Amino acid sequence: MPTQSDDLLWISSLRFLLKHPWQLALSILGVALGVAMVVSIDLSNSSAQRAFSLSAEAVAGKATHEIVGGGEQLSEQVYRHLRIDGGIRNAAPVVQGFGRLDGLARSFQILGVDPIAEGPFRDFSSQESGIDLASFIQGSATGLVSNPVLQELALEVNDTVGVSVGGVVVPIRIVGTIEVANERTEQALESVLVVDISTAQRLFDMRGDLSRIDLILSAEQQEQQDQLQIIRSLLPDGVEVQYAGSSSETLAQMTRAFELNLQALSLLALLVGMFLIYNTMTFSVVQRLPLIGRMRALGVTKSEILAMIMREAVLVGLIGTMVGIASGIALAQLLVRLVTQSINDLYFVLSVQELTITPGPILKATLLGLGATVLAAFWPAREASEAQVTTVLKRSNRESALMKRLPRFTGLGIVLGLVGGSLLLIPSGGIVVGYISLLLVIIGFSLTIPACMVGLASLFRPVLGALNGIIGTMSVQGLLSELSRTSVPVAALVVAVASTVGVGVMVDSFRVTVVSWLESQLQADIYVQPPSSVARFADAELLPELVEVLQQTQGVERVHSVYSETITANFGPTNLVTTSLGALAQQTYEIKRAESGFWDRFPNQRVVMVSEVYAYRHSVSLGDTIQLQTDKGLQEFLIEAMYYDYASDLGSVTMNREVYDRFYDNRAISGLALYASEGTPVEVLVERLRERADGLQEVFIRSNRGLREASIEIFDRTFTVTYVLRLLAVIVAFVGILSSLMALQLERAREHAVLRANGMTPGQLWNYVIVQTGVMGGMAGILSLPLGVIISYVLVYVINLRSFGWTLEFLVSPSLLFQAFGLAVLAALLAGMYPSIKMAQANPAHALRSE
Amino acid sequence: MRNSNIVDLRKLNKSYDEGTKKRHVLRDLELEVAQGQMLVLLGRSGSGKSTLLNLLSGIDRPDSGQVMIDGTDISLLTEKERTLFRRTHIGFVFQAFNLISTLTAYENIVLPLRLQGKKDVATEQLALHFLEEVGLADRKDSYPDRLSGGEQQRVAIARALAHEPSFILADEPTGNLDYKTGSKILSMLADLVRKNGRTMIIATHDREMGQIADRVLELQEGQLQEYKAIQES
């Protein structure tokens, strides 16, 4: 209930905050750093999502439905049949793919259209939008880009740009620009090249084929059903009509787990930020206990005290949130590039040219920043208001109260940890449940930290006593006598360092697993691949003449090929990999489980193997069947083996080439593995192959080692964003410990002055303070190791499995643990440096005089 | 007779836990203070003076017994009710002055009035009037750390009187001051209390303070005895 006394209490509060600017700045920084992390990740994710949906929307246009082929392609006869025999007028053929424009460092979506049919679908590519039909479809390769792209390329209309698709460069003459109605469409089309359908067919080697046929069907339910019935009756086997946007929705879903994991990491930073806020608010309250006691004696009620402190927290939260949002936006400029890079490496081509700032993430950050501050400040505020007026005037009560509550705290921590642990056992729990349980484990562990510190002190005390005499013993004892204050920064440091251990172990485990998998997967001496738009996918093909030339190169003893394409299965779009290895595939594929006699059947029977990720995502197992759209219609294949595969988190299905050729007319090859004949050095052969490929197609010809290194490079690149977030979490913790230690040491100015008055030299005082902060760092370092290992265990066996379905080797490297311990001690020592110097230089007379 | 008493304590008991033992500070203590009386409460350190003041102000509650202040048994009130009661009925003068360091001299005086919801011009004038009464009108915008000990205690006296409480509790009001300043402050406090018709209880170990009092009591072994009676015996 606000009273008129509020203003004076509030004025008193504000003056207190302004009298302690460092403390205020550090609290604000704590909130700001946490909020900045959340905002930057959210904005990066939402910008990527928005760019994706804008481009999907613009490219899909006003289509309500689309017709897609079973295999990769759809015959253009279907379109003719539909239009002429079926009388379906609102239909437009589309050939779509990815390529690169010379001079620009990003992939472009190449949209092949028929401008005459485009009218009802896409405003920018229709005859009505002003496309000069004569030059656009004159037969030679021509195209349109948006005005900003033309400027970026520093070209003018009628200039020619080289367009590279799968390593083959085709010159395209820009005959005009895409006229966009608004900025939104302009943004969506900033990475789109519109070409005539026949040009696109040539570019993607799809003569006579289409990617899809867009349709606009009636909005009226019954009429739409009738239209669909007619259309379906005209479609050949394996060709389907579906809602427009189904494919893009499926694509968008792929990145959800990836984005969720990034968000979780950013929330971890906010959690560490909360420790910081809790700590500074506690300090602010403890410092003011005599003042609060006086106010209480004068008749200020508990609720007025609570309201006063909470109001301060809201102010700190508001300023911190605003600073955090501003810095989050700046940070997002960097992160969006990393996130986009990871999405491009892992999932699909996405170009995010600029950050999209929408109210959603800003509102979420405001609520989180304010909420976290209020939540973190509530307990110190409540403690201040609950204290009796008589006890408020006595400081030591607080410590004795904490010591008394220690068993309860520890017990609660253990219970929370156990609850978190048991949540992990729920088999159907998703990623969110996984993170909630992880959060409970972290909070539970944090609550046991004061008790752990008491235990560790008995180890530190004799050691430091022996090494540093009375000062060493005093340093340790000082931590325990102020446990309510010292345990919070230690907990913050433990959580931050543990999270770096957790993420570090997870990435290490992942890396080691991938390296060992690559070693078994890459058995051949040399690999040939065309450049692809998505680093981890082979979405381009090798020219048949190139394959021929390479196979017949001197020194090549044996060759096998792979082909990878996305086809429709009963579980949705599926990456189908075909290998020409036959039974020899057992030497390269690491099999998790297989039916007996599988390798006898694999070369020529209707059996496939699926990656463990595919099995996990679609809940399939050995003995199940998978239905694949083939050129011979929908066909069933028996799943008889499951293999480890870390190339993609979307999973894949592998079939022998001989079987594939029976069901598909496509003879394309997307990769070659070559074995050098005895006596031919691999590097010499690589050079020879490169010379022979020159002028035919731009391809990567790499030795086994080269490919392995390239793969690891991509792997590391996809984790860059994780490393950046981890680093930011450490910075938050560092600021946390810095503020806590500064606050703690400044608060002890009087005690230090007494020590100085009793003959302690400035050097000894420096020693005392720095040893104390070092001990805090040491304790945090030790305690962060078990928590870090627990976090990594949950990340590897629960979060990773639920997000991606991978089985990873769990690897805890001692050097990582050693680094973490070092990090904690170093952070604490650095943070203690300033207060220790300041304390040593302070005039004891001043500290003794001041109240 | 009892109805005209501003303070009426009956069978008051208070003890504290000290490890496994219980220390009885007040034992069946009885006290009546009439309206306008000035009472000095003597006692050695640890005799229970501060405990008694805490009970009188409602900061603490007795184990048993009645604490009637201005007709209200405050031992029966909730914590919040006692705080609100203190806000309107009691003025404090502490040994350590206990001014709010983040408020100016004037704001310290006006705070109890504002706590009561008074925000009009008359309130401000009342605060300024008491500031003048203690001779610090020219220091109204000074913060406590800019004032001397004597000046701080003068502000505390003005703060204790400004909201016109039923009675004033002073705990060693001159304990932190030199003899000369202490004497000046004490006579200023006594004059102002009498001039405004207030009741006051001063807790001290300084027997000389008895000179300004209407009554002098000594707290011994948890009970109060008239000081003159002690002297005579």
Side-chain angles (χ1 to χ4, degrees), chain A residues 98-419:
Chain A
F98 296 104
R100 278 178 178 259
L101 267 59
D102 282 355
L104 291 183
R106 61 179 193 272
S107 291
F108 266 66
Q109 191 160 168
I110 300 170
L111 188 67
V113 294
D114 171 4
I116 302 164
E118 280 292 286
F121 290 88
R122 284 160 282 264
D123 298 333
F124 59 87
S125 52
S126 65
Q127 195 181 1
E128 289 83 345
S129 70
I131 288 184
D132 177 7
L133 216 53
S135 58
F136 191 64
I137 54 172
Q138 60 170 325
S140 68
T142 54
L144 308 169
V145 287
S146 69
N147 242 322
V149 174
L150 202 60
Q151 282 165 15
E152 244 182 301
L153 286 165
L155 294 178
E156 285 177 5
V157 173
N158 284 323
D159 284 349
T160 300
V161 63
V163 177
S164 162
V165 175
V168 179
V169 181
V170 176
I172 299 234
R173 192 162 63 88
I174 305 295
V175 291
T177 55
I178 303 171
E179 295 308 319
V180 286
N182 52 43
E183 203 182 315
R184 186 182 152 93
T185 321
E186 187 173 289
Q187 200 184 336
L189 298 175
E190 65 195 0
S191 295
V192 173
L193 168 69
V194 179
V195 294
D196 170 51
I197 202 145
S198 61
T199 307
Q201 284 171 329
R202 252 177 293 150
L203 277 172
F204 299 112
D205 194 19
M206 286 174 63
R207 282 174 189 87
D209 285 328
L210 302 174
S211 302
R212 64 171 200 268
I213 301 165
D214 284 349
L215 299 167
I216 297 176
L217 301 185
S218 167
E220 204 272 311
Q221 194 73 24
Q222 190 51 49
E223 210 174 316
Q224 190 186 88
Q225 287 306 320
D226 295 345
Q227 285 176 323
L228 279 171
Q229 210 174 351
I230 297 169
I231 292 167
R232 284 198 179 109
S233 70
L234 296 168
L235 299 180
D237 275 354
V239 176
E240 276 187 349
V241 57
Q242 62 185 31
Y243 283 111
S246 307
S247 333
S248 55
E249 174 59 19
T250 314
L251 277 175
Q253 272 176 0
M254 292 172 187
T255 59
R256 264 173 210 161
F258 169 76
E259 284 163 0
L260 186 67
N261 283 306
L262 288 185
Q263 275 174 347
L265 266 178
S266 70
L267 287 173
L268 192 67
L270 191 67
L271 181 72
V272 177
M274 273 176 77
F275 274 103
L276 180 52
I277 300 158
Y278 172 84
N279 193 58
T280 41
M281 288 311 290
T282 306
F283 176 59
S284 165
V285 164
V286 168
Q287 211 176 17
R288 253 182 302 175
L289 281 180
L291 199 70
I292 293 168
R294 283 167 215 168
M295 287 179 175
R296 294 277 292 117
L298 291 175
V300 179
T301 61
K302 286 179 181 182
S303 49
E304 282 167 338
I305 297 285
L306 183 76
M308 178 179 87
I309 307 251
M310 290 312 289
R311 212 163 147 184
E312 279 177 25
V314 170
L315 178 75
V316 167
L318 261 178
I319 301 174
T321 302
M322 283 192 291
V323 175
I325 288 172
S327 13
I329 291 172
L331 186 62
Q333 311 277 0
L334 163 75
L335 284 184
V336 74
R337 253 172 278 165
L338 297 175
V339 168
T340 310
Q341 182 62 61
S342 296
I343 290 178
N344 282 346
D345 285 342
L346 294 168
Y347 305 100
F348 42 76
V349 170
L350 185 68
S351 159
V352 186
Q353 294 292 72
E354 63 182 64
L355 205 62
T356 312
I357 300 164
T358 49
I362 306 294
L363 189 70
K364 181 180 155 195
T366 310
L367 289 177
L368 273 177
L370 272 179
T373 316
V374 167
L375 194 70
F378 179 74
W379 297 107
R382 191 166 170 271
E383 202 168 335
S385 68
E386 283 296 315
Q388 294 291 322
V389 186
T390 43
T391 57
V392 150
L393 302 167
K394 279 163 74 183
R395 196 39 220 295
S396 59
N397 284 351
R398 190 181 154 75
E399 298 310 329
S400 52
L402 178 73
M403 286 308 252
K404 223 184 272 179
R405 277 187 307 199
L406 213 54
R408 217 180 336 146
F409 252 61
T410 314
L412 180 66
I414 293 170
V415 170
L416 278 180
L418 290 176
V419 171

Side-chain angles (χ1 to χ4, degrees), chain A residues 12 15 294 296 299 304, chain B residues 79 86-87 99 102 107:
Chain A
S12 165
R15 286 183 189 153
R294 283 167 215 168
R296 294 277 292 117
E304 282 167 338
Chain B
E79 205 284 329
R86 188 159 66 240
R87 183 185 278 191
L99 296 181
T102 45
E107 287 166 343

Side-chain angles (χ1 to χ4, degrees), chain A residues 610-633:
Chain A
V610 295
S611 70
E612 62 164 344
V613 175
Y614 192 87
Y616 178 81
R617 278 193 177 247
H618 303 293
S619 309
V620 290
S621 192
L622 302 193
D624 289 344
T625 53
I626 179 169
Q627 295 177 328
L628 302 176
Q629 279 293 355
T630 71
D631 293 333
K632 306 278 183 295

Side-chain angles (χ1 to χ4, degrees), chain A residues 456-762:
Chain A
L456 282 175
S458 55
L459 293 177
F460 273 89
R461 208 182 293 117
V463 177
L464 285 168
L467 291 174
N468 208 9
I470 183 79
I471 292 180
T473 318
M474 275 170 67
S475 304
V476 181
Q477 199 49 44
L479 291 182
L480 298 189
S481 62
E482 297 269 2
L483 198 58
S484 67
R485 305 265 302 108
T486 54
S487 56
V488 180
V490 170
L493 194 59
V494 167
V495 173
V497 175
S499 67
T500 76
V501 172
V503 176
V505 168
M506 192 261 284
V507 176
D508 271 5
S509 300
F510 211 152
R511 208 170 188 276
V512 165
T513 311
V514 168
V515 168
S516 98
W517 170 76
L518 276 172
E519 267 165 21
S520 82
Q521 191 83 358
L522 304 179
Q523 299 276 333
D525 297 317
I526 297 163
Y527 290 86
V528 183
Q529 282 176 310
S532 60
S533 311
V534 179
R536 288 205 188 171
F537 288 150
D539 63 344
E541 295 164 7
L542 294 173
L543 293 176
E545 52 268 38
L546 177 79
V547 174
E548 191 69 30
V549 165
L550 295 179
Q551 267 174 334
Q552 287 171 3
T553 302
Q554 190 199 347
V556 173
E557 189 186 280
R558 195 154 50 90
V559 173
H560 73 81
S561 67
V562 290
Y563 178 60
S564 166
E565 66 175 335
T566 306
I567 54 145
T568 308
N570 54 327
F571 303 115
T574 292
N575 184 38
L576 177 68
V577 178
T578 57
T579 170
S580 65
L581 273 172
L584 287 174
Q586 59 189 305
Q587 290 168 3
T588 57
Y589 280 84
E590 273 192 72
I591 299 296
K592 189 176 180 179
R593 280 204 305 276
E595 300 279 12
S596 69
F598 165 71
W599 291 109
D600 299 334
R601 293 185 291 278
F602 180 69
N604 49 25
Q605 292 189 26
R606 286 165 70 137
V607 293
V608 291
M609 49 181 172
V610 295
S611 70
E612 62 164 344
V613 175
Y614 192 87
Y616 178 81
R617 278 193 177 247
H618 303 293
S619 309
V620 290
S621 192
L622 302 193
D624 289 344
T625 53
I626 179 169
Q627 295 177 328
L628 302 176
Q629 279 293 355
T630 71
D631 293 333
K632 306 278 183 295
L634 195 64
Q635 299 289 333
E636 281 194 352
F637 294 84
L638 193 61
I639 299 170
E640 285 211 339
M642 199 186 289
Y643 60 96
Y644 294 106
D645 177 25
Y646 302 93
S648 135
D649 70 347
L650 306 175
S652 47
V653 175
T654 297
M655 183 187 282
N656 195 31
R657 185 78 200 209
E658 196 185 319
V659 181
Y660 177 85
D661 287 345
R662 291 215 301 268
F663 295 95
Y664 295 87
D665 305 328
N666 189 357
R667 295 292 171 265
I669 286 174
S670 51
L672 278 181
L674 300 101
Y675 293 83
S677 57
E678 216 175 302
T680 310
V682 171
E683 294 310 322
V684 171
L685 187 55
V686 166
E687 277 313 307
R688 198 178 295 159
L689 290 166
R690 281 180 184 159
E691 276 166 28
R692 286 172 63 85
D694 194 31
L696 282 172
Q697 185 180 2
E698 205 182 293
V699 285
F700 293 121
I701 300 177
R702 286 178 287 215
S703 65
N704 180 313
R705 203 185 66 199
L707 180 59
R708 207 179 308 166
E709 281 168 3
S711 305
I712 295 291
E713 192 187 315
I714 294 172
F715 174 87
D716 287 341
R717 199 165 63 200
T718 56
F719 276 100
T720 313
V721 61
T722 315
Y723 292 130
V724 171
L725 289 181
R726 201 165 64 137
L727 183 70
L728 289 174
V730 174
I731 294 173
V732 175
F734 175 75
V735 173
I737 191 128
L738 174 74
S739 74
S740 311
L741 291 179
M742 269 180 64
L744 184 67
Q745 300 303 344
L746 297 177
E747 188 196 351
R748 288 174 155 190
R750 195 178 167 82
E751 182 196 318
H752 294 155
V754 172
L755 292 174
R756 289 271 286 111
N758 280 288
M760 198 181 246
T761 63

Side-chain angles (χ1 to χ4, degrees), chain B residues 143-196:
Chain B
Y143 284 96
D145 60 359
R146 297 279 155 213
L147 300 173
S148 69
E151 286 170 331
Q152 286 192 52
Q153 196 60 306
R154 276 145 72 188
V155 174
I157 291 168
R159 181 177 69 182
L161 286 161
H163 64 295
E164 299 172 326
S166 310
F167 78 106
I168 290 156
L169 291 172
D171 189 4
E172 300 282 10
T174 60
N176 274 12
L177 302 170
D178 61 75
Y179 179 77
K180 203 172 155 190
T181 315
S183 305
K184 264 192 197 165
I185 292 290
L186 190 64
S187 71
M188 178 184 283
L189 177 64
D191 289 349
L192 281 170
V193 167
R194 289 203 194 281
K195 189 168 148 190
N196 288 277

Side-chain angles (χ1 to χ4, degrees), chain A residues 429-455:
Chain A
I431 312 172
V432 176
V433 174
Y435 274 116
I436 290 173
S437 57
L438 190 59
L439 182 74
L440 287 177
V441 169
I442 293 174
I443 295 174
F445 193 90
S446 307
L447 286 174
T448 65
I449 283 176
C452 293
M453 283 175 72
V454 173

